[in-house]
mmCIF file of all heavy atoms in Angstrom:
data_model
loop_
_atom_site.group_PDB
_atom_site.id
_atom_site.type_symbol
_atom_site.label_atom_id
_atom_site.label_comp_id
_atom_site.label_asym_id
_atom_site.label_seq_id
_atom_site.Cartn_x
_atom_site.Cartn_y
_atom_site.Cartn_z
ATOM 1 N N THR A 16 13.345 15.733 21.222
ATOM 2 C CA THR A 16 12.148 16.231 20.542
ATOM 3 C C THR A 16 12.451 17.065 19.307
ATOM 4 O O THR A 16 11.541 17.546 18.657
ATOM 5 C CB THR A 16 11.310 17.078 21.513
ATOM 6 O OG1 THR A 16 12.105 18.181 21.979
ATOM 7 C CG2 THR A 16 10.856 16.254 22.699
ATOM 8 N N GLN A 17 13.727 17.277 18.983
ATOM 9 C CA GLN A 17 14.031 18.099 17.821
ATOM 10 C C GLN A 17 13.565 17.417 16.540
ATOM 11 O O GLN A 17 13.417 16.200 16.487
ATOM 12 C CB GLN A 17 15.528 18.389 17.746
ATOM 13 C CG GLN A 17 16.392 17.156 17.488
ATOM 14 C CD GLN A 17 17.869 17.505 17.501
ATOM 15 O OE1 GLN A 17 18.232 18.656 17.647
ATOM 16 N NE2 GLN A 17 18.712 16.509 17.375
ATOM 17 N N ALA A 18 13.308 18.202 15.538
ATOM 18 C CA ALA A 18 12.807 17.665 14.280
ATOM 19 C C ALA A 18 13.819 16.721 13.650
ATOM 20 O O ALA A 18 15.022 16.834 13.864
ATOM 21 C CB ALA A 18 12.497 18.816 13.324
ATOM 22 N N SER A 19 13.288 15.757 12.871
ATOM 23 C CA SER A 19 14.140 14.818 12.163
ATOM 24 C C SER A 19 14.366 15.331 10.747
ATOM 25 O O SER A 19 13.507 15.162 9.882
ATOM 26 C CB SER A 19 13.477 13.433 12.118
ATOM 27 O OG SER A 19 14.229 12.558 11.309
ATOM 28 N N PRO A 20 15.494 15.971 10.486
ATOM 29 C CA PRO A 20 15.694 16.547 9.150
ATOM 30 C C PRO A 20 15.790 15.491 8.056
ATOM 31 O O PRO A 20 15.409 15.742 6.913
ATOM 32 C CB PRO A 20 17.010 17.327 9.302
ATOM 33 C CG PRO A 20 17.727 16.655 10.429
ATOM 34 C CD PRO A 20 16.649 16.208 11.372
ATOM 35 N N GLU A 21 16.283 14.286 8.393
ATOM 36 C CA GLU A 21 16.469 13.266 7.367
ATOM 37 C C GLU A 21 15.142 12.719 6.855
ATOM 38 O O GLU A 21 14.991 12.462 5.662
ATOM 39 C CB GLU A 21 17.346 12.129 7.920
ATOM 40 C CG GLU A 21 18.761 12.560 8.279
ATOM 41 C CD GLU A 21 19.480 13.218 7.103
ATOM 42 O OE1 GLU A 21 19.408 12.672 5.983
ATOM 43 O OE2 GLU A 21 20.094 14.277 7.305
ATOM 44 N N LEU A 22 14.171 12.520 7.745
ATOM 45 C CA LEU A 22 12.863 12.057 7.290
ATOM 46 C C LEU A 22 12.203 13.092 6.388
ATOM 47 O O LEU A 22 11.372 12.748 5.549
ATOM 48 C CB LEU A 22 11.957 11.754 8.493
ATOM 49 C CG LEU A 22 12.265 10.476 9.275
ATOM 50 C CD1 LEU A 22 11.341 10.332 10.473
ATOM 51 C CD2 LEU A 22 12.182 9.246 8.381
ATOM 52 N N GLY A 23 12.594 14.343 6.540
ATOM 53 C CA GLY A 23 12.059 15.405 5.698
ATOM 54 C C GLY A 23 12.717 15.480 4.340
ATOM 55 O O GLY A 23 12.279 16.249 3.478
ATOM 56 N N LYS A 24 13.770 14.700 4.120
ATOM 57 C CA LYS A 24 14.470 14.700 2.839
ATOM 58 C C LYS A 24 14.000 13.568 1.915
ATOM 59 O O LYS A 24 14.477 13.448 0.790
ATOM 60 C CB LYS A 24 15.980 14.580 3.061
ATOM 61 C CG LYS A 24 16.597 15.776 3.780
ATOM 62 C CD LYS A 24 18.078 15.572 3.999
ATOM 63 C CE LYS A 24 18.708 16.758 4.749
ATOM 64 N NZ LYS A 24 20.146 16.541 5.008
ATOM 65 N N LEU A 25 13.091 12.745 2.401
ATOM 66 C CA LEU A 25 12.603 11.627 1.600
ATOM 67 C C LEU A 25 11.440 12.070 0.712
ATOM 68 O O LEU A 25 10.740 13.031 1.016
ATOM 69 C CB LEU A 25 12.153 10.484 2.511
ATOM 70 C CG LEU A 25 13.234 9.903 3.429
ATOM 71 C CD1 LEU A 25 12.631 8.852 4.356
ATOM 72 C CD2 LEU A 25 14.379 9.308 2.616
ATOM 73 N N HIS A 26 11.247 11.354 -0.389
ATOM 74 C CA HIS A 26 10.131 11.615 -1.288
ATOM 75 C C HIS A 26 9.051 10.574 -1.019
ATOM 76 O O HIS A 26 9.288 9.375 -1.170
ATOM 77 C CB HIS A 26 10.578 11.555 -2.752
ATOM 78 C CG HIS A 26 11.562 12.615 -3.126
ATOM 79 N ND1 HIS A 26 11.218 13.944 -3.245
ATOM 80 C CD2 HIS A 26 12.887 12.550 -3.395
ATOM 81 C CE1 HIS A 26 12.284 14.656 -3.575
ATOM 82 N NE2 HIS A 26 13.315 13.829 -3.668
ATOM 83 N N TYR A 27 7.863 11.032 -0.641
ATOM 84 C CA TYR A 27 6.768 10.144 -0.260
ATOM 85 C C TYR A 27 5.810 9.987 -1.440
ATOM 86 O O TYR A 27 5.181 10.949 -1.878
ATOM 87 C CB TYR A 27 6.054 10.702 0.967
ATOM 88 C CG TYR A 27 6.946 10.755 2.191
ATOM 89 C CD1 TYR A 27 7.768 11.859 2.425
ATOM 90 C CD2 TYR A 27 6.992 9.691 3.090
ATOM 91 C CE1 TYR A 27 8.612 11.908 3.537
ATOM 92 C CE2 TYR A 27 7.821 9.735 4.210
ATOM 93 C CZ TYR A 27 8.625 10.854 4.423
ATOM 94 O OH TYR A 27 9.460 10.889 5.517
ATOM 95 N N LEU A 28 5.701 8.763 -1.942
ATOM 96 C CA LEU A 28 4.902 8.476 -3.133
ATOM 97 C C LEU A 28 3.794 7.485 -2.798
ATOM 98 O O LEU A 28 3.980 6.576 -1.990
ATOM 99 C CB LEU A 28 5.778 7.880 -4.239
ATOM 100 C CG LEU A 28 7.058 8.630 -4.618
ATOM 101 C CD1 LEU A 28 7.778 7.889 -5.739
ATOM 102 C CD2 LEU A 28 6.756 10.065 -5.016
ATOM 103 N N PRO A 44 -4.154 14.353 -0.962
ATOM 104 C CA PRO A 44 -3.980 12.961 -0.549
ATOM 105 C C PRO A 44 -4.617 12.704 0.813
ATOM 106 O O PRO A 44 -4.447 13.481 1.757
ATOM 107 C CB PRO A 44 -2.464 12.789 -0.490
ATOM 108 C CG PRO A 44 -1.930 13.827 -1.425
ATOM 109 C CD PRO A 44 -2.865 14.993 -1.274
ATOM 110 N N ALA A 48 -3.630 5.203 5.240
ATOM 111 C CA ALA A 48 -2.168 5.238 5.242
ATOM 112 C C ALA A 48 -1.644 6.667 5.285
ATOM 113 O O ALA A 48 -0.620 6.944 5.924
ATOM 114 C CB ALA A 48 -1.621 4.512 4.015
ATOM 115 N N VAL A 49 -2.334 7.589 4.609
ATOM 116 C CA VAL A 49 -1.905 8.990 4.596
ATOM 117 C C VAL A 49 -2.042 9.593 5.990
ATOM 118 O O VAL A 49 -1.128 10.265 6.497
ATOM 119 C CB VAL A 49 -2.714 9.799 3.568
ATOM 120 C CG1 VAL A 49 -2.403 11.288 3.681
ATOM 121 C CG2 VAL A 49 -2.408 9.309 2.151
ATOM 122 N N GLU A 50 -3.177 9.357 6.654
ATOM 123 C CA GLU A 50 -3.357 9.879 8.006
ATOM 124 C C GLU A 50 -2.370 9.227 8.976
ATOM 125 O O GLU A 50 -1.867 9.875 9.900
ATOM 126 C CB GLU A 50 -4.797 9.669 8.467
ATOM 127 C CG GLU A 50 -5.801 10.521 7.696
ATOM 128 C CD GLU A 50 -7.119 10.686 8.430
ATOM 129 O OE1 GLU A 50 -7.110 10.634 9.684
ATOM 130 O OE2 GLU A 50 -8.150 10.876 7.762
ATOM 131 N N LEU A 51 -2.097 7.959 8.758
ATOM 132 C CA LEU A 51 -1.110 7.263 9.584
ATOM 133 C C LEU A 51 0.267 7.898 9.411
ATOM 134 O O LEU A 51 0.997 8.125 10.391
ATOM 135 C CB LEU A 51 -1.066 5.787 9.175
ATOM 136 C CG LEU A 51 -0.248 4.815 10.022
ATOM 137 C CD1 LEU A 51 -0.678 4.848 11.477
ATOM 138 C CD2 LEU A 51 -0.380 3.404 9.467
ATOM 139 N N LEU A 52 0.622 8.229 8.178
ATOM 140 C CA LEU A 52 1.897 8.872 7.899
ATOM 141 C C LEU A 52 1.994 10.234 8.588
ATOM 142 O O LEU A 52 3.034 10.580 9.168
ATOM 143 C CB LEU A 52 2.084 9.032 6.391
ATOM 144 C CG LEU A 52 3.347 9.740 5.908
ATOM 145 C CD1 LEU A 52 4.603 9.056 6.438
ATOM 146 C CD2 LEU A 52 3.370 9.796 4.380
ATOM 147 N N HIS A 53 0.931 11.005 8.542
ATOM 148 C CA HIS A 53 0.931 12.309 9.223
ATOM 149 C C HIS A 53 1.144 12.148 10.727
ATOM 150 O O HIS A 53 1.840 12.962 11.350
ATOM 151 C CB HIS A 53 -0.379 13.056 8.948
ATOM 152 C CG HIS A 53 -0.395 13.777 7.639
ATOM 153 N ND1 HIS A 53 0.133 15.042 7.476
ATOM 154 C CD2 HIS A 53 -0.856 13.409 6.413
ATOM 155 C CE1 HIS A 53 -0.017 15.435 6.224
ATOM 156 N NE2 HIS A 53 -0.614 14.454 5.549
ATOM 157 N N GLN A 54 0.577 11.095 11.287
ATOM 158 C CA GLN A 54 0.778 10.833 12.711
ATOM 159 C C GLN A 54 2.231 10.458 13.007
ATOM 160 O O GLN A 54 2.800 10.857 14.033
ATOM 161 C CB GLN A 54 -0.152 9.716 13.177
ATOM 162 C CG GLN A 54 -1.617 10.110 13.246
ATOM 163 C CD GLN A 54 -1.902 11.133 14.338
ATOM 164 O OE1 GLN A 54 -1.389 11.032 15.450
ATOM 165 N NE2 GLN A 54 -2.721 12.118 14.015
ATOM 166 N N VAL A 55 2.845 9.696 12.101
ATOM 167 C CA VAL A 55 4.264 9.340 12.267
ATOM 168 C C VAL A 55 5.123 10.594 12.227
ATOM 169 O O VAL A 55 6.060 10.752 13.026
ATOM 170 C CB VAL A 55 4.710 8.343 11.173
ATOM 171 C CG1 VAL A 55 6.223 8.125 11.230
ATOM 172 C CG2 VAL A 55 3.980 7.021 11.337
ATOM 173 N N TRP A 56 4.823 11.496 11.302
ATOM 174 C CA TRP A 56 5.583 12.755 11.245
ATOM 175 C C TRP A 56 5.457 13.519 12.561
ATOM 176 O O TRP A 56 6.434 14.091 13.057
ATOM 177 C CB TRP A 56 5.078 13.615 10.089
ATOM 178 C CG TRP A 56 5.495 13.123 8.742
ATOM 179 C CD1 TRP A 56 6.605 12.373 8.448
ATOM 180 C CD2 TRP A 56 4.825 13.339 7.495
ATOM 181 N NE1 TRP A 56 6.661 12.107 7.098
ATOM 182 C CE2 TRP A 56 5.595 12.691 6.487
ATOM 183 C CE3 TRP A 56 3.672 14.018 7.131
ATOM 184 C CZ2 TRP A 56 5.220 12.716 5.144
ATOM 185 C CZ3 TRP A 56 3.295 14.045 5.793
ATOM 186 C CH2 TRP A 56 4.067 13.399 4.813
ATOM 187 N N GLN A 57 4.261 13.513 13.150
ATOM 188 C CA GLN A 57 4.094 14.194 14.433
ATOM 189 C C GLN A 57 4.934 13.544 15.514
ATOM 190 O O GLN A 57 5.590 14.233 16.305
ATOM 191 C CB GLN A 57 2.617 14.195 14.840
ATOM 192 C CG GLN A 57 1.728 15.114 14.009
ATOM 193 C CD GLN A 57 0.312 15.179 14.537
ATOM 194 O OE1 GLN A 57 0.066 14.990 15.724
ATOM 195 N NE2 GLN A 57 -0.640 15.447 13.645
ATOM 196 N N LYS A 58 4.932 12.217 15.560
ATOM 197 C CA LYS A 58 5.687 11.493 16.590
ATOM 198 C C LYS A 58 7.189 11.710 16.445
ATOM 199 O O LYS A 58 7.926 11.691 17.438
ATOM 200 C CB LYS A 58 5.382 9.995 16.519
ATOM 201 C CG LYS A 58 3.951 9.618 16.853
ATOM 202 C CD LYS A 58 3.607 9.891 18.302
ATOM 203 C CE LYS A 58 2.198 9.407 18.629
ATOM 204 N NZ LYS A 58 1.799 9.747 20.026
ATOM 205 N N THR A 59 7.662 11.893 15.218
ATOM 206 C CA THR A 59 9.090 12.068 14.973
ATOM 207 C C THR A 59 9.467 13.532 14.812
ATOM 208 O O THR A 59 10.607 13.839 14.451
ATOM 209 C CB THR A 59 9.525 11.295 13.709
ATOM 210 O OG1 THR A 59 8.737 11.738 12.593
ATOM 211 C CG2 THR A 59 9.336 9.790 13.887
ATOM 212 N N ASN A 60 8.498 14.420 15.064
ATOM 213 C CA ASN A 60 8.729 15.861 14.938
ATOM 214 C C ASN A 60 9.245 16.251 13.555
ATOM 215 O O ASN A 60 10.132 17.095 13.405
ATOM 216 C CB ASN A 60 9.690 16.346 16.019
ATOM 217 C CG ASN A 60 9.085 16.248 17.405
ATOM 218 O OD1 ASN A 60 8.195 17.009 17.762
ATOM 219 N ND2 ASN A 60 9.554 15.283 18.176
ATOM 220 N N THR A 61 8.691 15.583 12.542
ATOM 221 C CA THR A 61 9.027 15.885 11.158
ATOM 222 C C THR A 61 7.965 16.804 10.572
ATOM 223 O O THR A 61 6.772 16.496 10.659
ATOM 224 C CB THR A 61 9.088 14.591 10.320
ATOM 225 O OG1 THR A 61 10.038 13.697 10.899
ATOM 226 C CG2 THR A 61 9.478 14.881 8.881
ATOM 227 N N PRO A 62 8.335 17.921 9.995
ATOM 228 C CA PRO A 62 7.332 18.800 9.370
ATOM 229 C C PRO A 62 6.576 18.041 8.281
ATOM 230 O O PRO A 62 7.143 17.173 7.618
ATOM 231 C CB PRO A 62 8.174 19.934 8.774
ATOM 232 C CG PRO A 62 9.457 19.906 9.531
ATOM 233 C CD PRO A 62 9.698 18.472 9.882
ATOM 234 N N PRO A 63 5.296 18.321 8.083
ATOM 235 C CA PRO A 63 4.527 17.663 7.020
ATOM 236 C C PRO A 63 5.233 17.794 5.672
ATOM 237 O O PRO A 63 5.708 18.870 5.313
ATOM 238 C CB PRO A 63 3.184 18.395 7.036
ATOM 239 C CG PRO A 63 3.058 18.895 8.436
ATOM 240 C CD PRO A 63 4.456 19.260 8.858
ATOM 241 N N GLN A 64 5.283 16.693 4.956
ATOM 242 C CA GLN A 64 5.967 16.641 3.674
ATOM 243 C C GLN A 64 4.964 16.507 2.531
ATOM 244 O O GLN A 64 3.802 16.157 2.735
ATOM 245 C CB GLN A 64 6.934 15.449 3.652
ATOM 246 C CG GLN A 64 7.969 15.467 4.763
ATOM 247 C CD GLN A 64 8.899 16.665 4.661
ATOM 248 O OE1 GLN A 64 9.511 16.898 3.617
ATOM 249 N NE2 GLN A 64 9.000 17.433 5.742
ATOM 250 N N THR A 65 5.431 16.750 1.327
ATOM 251 C CA THR A 65 4.597 16.576 0.141
ATOM 252 C C THR A 65 4.404 15.092 -0.136
ATOM 253 O O THR A 65 5.357 14.315 -0.089
ATOM 254 C CB THR A 65 5.246 17.242 -1.081
ATOM 255 O OG1 THR A 65 5.380 18.641 -0.833
ATOM 256 C CG2 THR A 65 4.405 17.017 -2.336
ATOM 257 N N ILE A 66 3.174 14.703 -0.413
ATOM 258 C CA ILE A 66 2.858 13.330 -0.823
ATOM 259 C C ILE A 66 2.401 13.388 -2.275
ATOM 260 O O ILE A 66 1.454 14.104 -2.609
ATOM 261 C CB ILE A 66 1.749 12.726 0.050
ATOM 262 C CG1 ILE A 66 2.189 12.662 1.518
ATOM 263 C CG2 ILE A 66 1.371 11.329 -0.449
ATOM 264 C CD1 ILE A 66 1.086 12.253 2.473
ATOM 265 N N THR A 67 3.077 12.655 -3.135
ATOM 266 C CA THR A 67 2.763 12.676 -4.563
ATOM 267 C C THR A 67 1.999 11.417 -4.942
ATOM 268 O O THR A 67 2.444 10.296 -4.656
ATOM 269 C CB THR A 67 4.049 12.758 -5.404
ATOM 270 O OG1 THR A 67 4.793 13.920 -5.013
ATOM 271 C CG2 THR A 67 3.720 12.844 -6.887
ATOM 272 N N VAL A 85 9.991 6.775 -0.415
ATOM 273 C CA VAL A 85 9.109 5.958 0.418
ATOM 274 C C VAL A 85 7.832 5.737 -0.383
ATOM 275 O O VAL A 85 7.197 6.698 -0.810
ATOM 276 C CB VAL A 85 8.762 6.653 1.749
ATOM 277 C CG1 VAL A 85 7.904 5.723 2.615
ATOM 278 C CG2 VAL A 85 10.017 7.067 2.491
ATOM 279 N N PHE A 87 4.037 3.803 -0.561
ATOM 280 C CA PHE A 87 3.022 3.131 0.249
ATOM 281 C C PHE A 87 1.670 3.213 -0.473
ATOM 282 O O PHE A 87 1.485 4.059 -1.339
ATOM 283 C CB PHE A 87 2.941 3.803 1.634
ATOM 284 C CG PHE A 87 2.466 5.233 1.606
ATOM 285 C CD1 PHE A 87 1.121 5.544 1.855
ATOM 286 C CD2 PHE A 87 3.337 6.293 1.302
ATOM 287 C CE1 PHE A 87 0.664 6.862 1.821
ATOM 288 C CE2 PHE A 87 2.885 7.619 1.287
ATOM 289 C CZ PHE A 87 1.554 7.892 1.541
ATOM 290 N N PHE A 210 5.146 0.646 4.607
ATOM 291 C CA PHE A 210 5.891 1.716 3.956
ATOM 292 C C PHE A 210 7.198 1.093 3.462
ATOM 293 O O PHE A 210 7.969 0.545 4.258
ATOM 294 C CB PHE A 210 6.190 2.846 4.936
ATOM 295 C CG PHE A 210 4.968 3.572 5.421
ATOM 296 C CD1 PHE A 210 4.337 3.200 6.598
ATOM 297 C CD2 PHE A 210 4.443 4.639 4.692
ATOM 298 C CE1 PHE A 210 3.204 3.862 7.048
ATOM 299 C CE2 PHE A 210 3.311 5.308 5.137
ATOM 300 C CZ PHE A 210 2.684 4.914 6.313
ATOM 301 N N PHE A 212 10.904 1.526 1.703
ATOM 302 C CA PHE A 212 11.955 2.530 1.530
ATOM 303 C C PHE A 212 12.965 2.044 0.500
ATOM 304 O O PHE A 212 13.312 0.854 0.459
ATOM 305 C CB PHE A 212 12.696 2.768 2.850
ATOM 306 C CG PHE A 212 11.857 3.378 3.939
ATOM 307 C CD1 PHE A 212 10.902 2.621 4.601
ATOM 308 C CD2 PHE A 212 12.022 4.706 4.301
ATOM 309 C CE1 PHE A 212 10.125 3.174 5.613
ATOM 310 C CE2 PHE A 212 11.255 5.263 5.306
ATOM 311 C CZ PHE A 212 10.306 4.502 5.964
ATOM 312 N N GLU A 223 14.009 4.825 12.899
ATOM 313 C CA GLU A 223 13.377 6.002 13.483
ATOM 314 C C GLU A 223 11.919 6.094 13.032
ATOM 315 O O GLU A 223 11.014 6.365 13.844
ATOM 316 C CB GLU A 223 14.131 7.265 13.074
ATOM 317 C CG GLU A 223 13.537 8.552 13.641
ATOM 318 C CD GLU A 223 14.296 9.796 13.210
ATOM 319 O OE1 GLU A 223 15.335 9.655 12.543
ATOM 320 O OE2 GLU A 223 13.824 10.901 13.537
ATOM 321 N N PHE A 224 11.697 5.858 11.742
ATOM 322 C CA PHE A 224 10.332 5.877 11.207
ATOM 323 C C PHE A 224 9.510 4.763 11.846
ATOM 324 O O PHE A 224 8.356 4.980 12.256
ATOM 325 C CB PHE A 224 10.373 5.708 9.686
ATOM 326 C CG PHE A 224 9.044 5.901 9.012
ATOM 327 C CD1 PHE A 224 8.729 7.102 8.396
ATOM 328 C CD2 PHE A 224 8.103 4.877 8.985
ATOM 329 C CE1 PHE A 224 7.506 7.286 7.766
ATOM 330 C CE2 PHE A 224 6.878 5.050 8.360
ATOM 331 C CZ PHE A 224 6.574 6.254 7.753
ATOM 332 N N ASN A 226 9.896 3.305 14.727
ATOM 333 C CA ASN A 226 9.599 3.627 16.124
ATOM 334 C C ASN A 226 8.395 4.571 16.216
ATOM 335 O O ASN A 226 7.519 4.405 17.067
ATOM 336 C CB ASN A 226 10.815 4.260 16.797
ATOM 337 C CG ASN A 226 11.919 3.262 17.068
ATOM 338 O OD1 ASN A 226 11.678 2.047 17.095
ATOM 339 N ND2 ASN A 226 13.133 3.746 17.263
ATOM 340 N N GLY A 227 8.369 5.565 15.322
ATOM 341 C CA GLY A 227 7.234 6.473 15.297
ATOM 342 C C GLY A 227 5.947 5.756 14.918
ATOM 343 O O GLY A 227 4.888 5.982 15.511
ATOM 344 N N LEU A 228 6.040 4.869 13.919
ATOM 345 C CA LEU A 228 4.874 4.111 13.470
ATOM 346 C C LEU A 228 4.350 3.210 14.584
ATOM 347 O O LEU A 228 3.131 3.119 14.802
ATOM 348 C CB LEU A 228 5.242 3.276 12.236
ATOM 349 C CG LEU A 228 4.150 2.369 11.664
ATOM 350 C CD1 LEU A 228 2.932 3.186 11.245
ATOM 351 C CD2 LEU A 228 4.695 1.564 10.482
ATOM 352 N N VAL A 231 2.370 5.170 16.998
ATOM 353 C CA VAL A 231 1.062 5.552 16.457
ATOM 354 C C VAL A 231 0.096 4.371 16.502
ATOM 355 O O VAL A 231 -1.070 4.514 16.895
ATOM 356 C CB VAL A 231 1.197 6.068 15.012
ATOM 357 C CG1 VAL A 231 -0.189 6.349 14.422
ATOM 358 C CG2 VAL A 231 2.045 7.322 14.967
#
Side-chain angles (χ1 to χ4, degrees):
T16 59
Q17 66 183 357
S19 174
E21 296 305 314
L22 286 177
K24 295 178 181 178
L25 300 176
H26 295 289
Y27 296 86
L28 309 181
V49 172
E50 292 200 28
L51 188 56
L52 178 56
H53 278 276
Q54 289 292 318
V55 172
W56 286 334
Q57 289 186 28
K58 295 294 184 184
T59 57
N60 293 288
T61 303
Q64 303 297 306
T65 299
I66 299 172
T67 303
V85 183
F87 65 97
F210 294 94
F212 295 74
E223 180 181 355
F224 188 100
N226 287 341
L228 177 60
V231 175

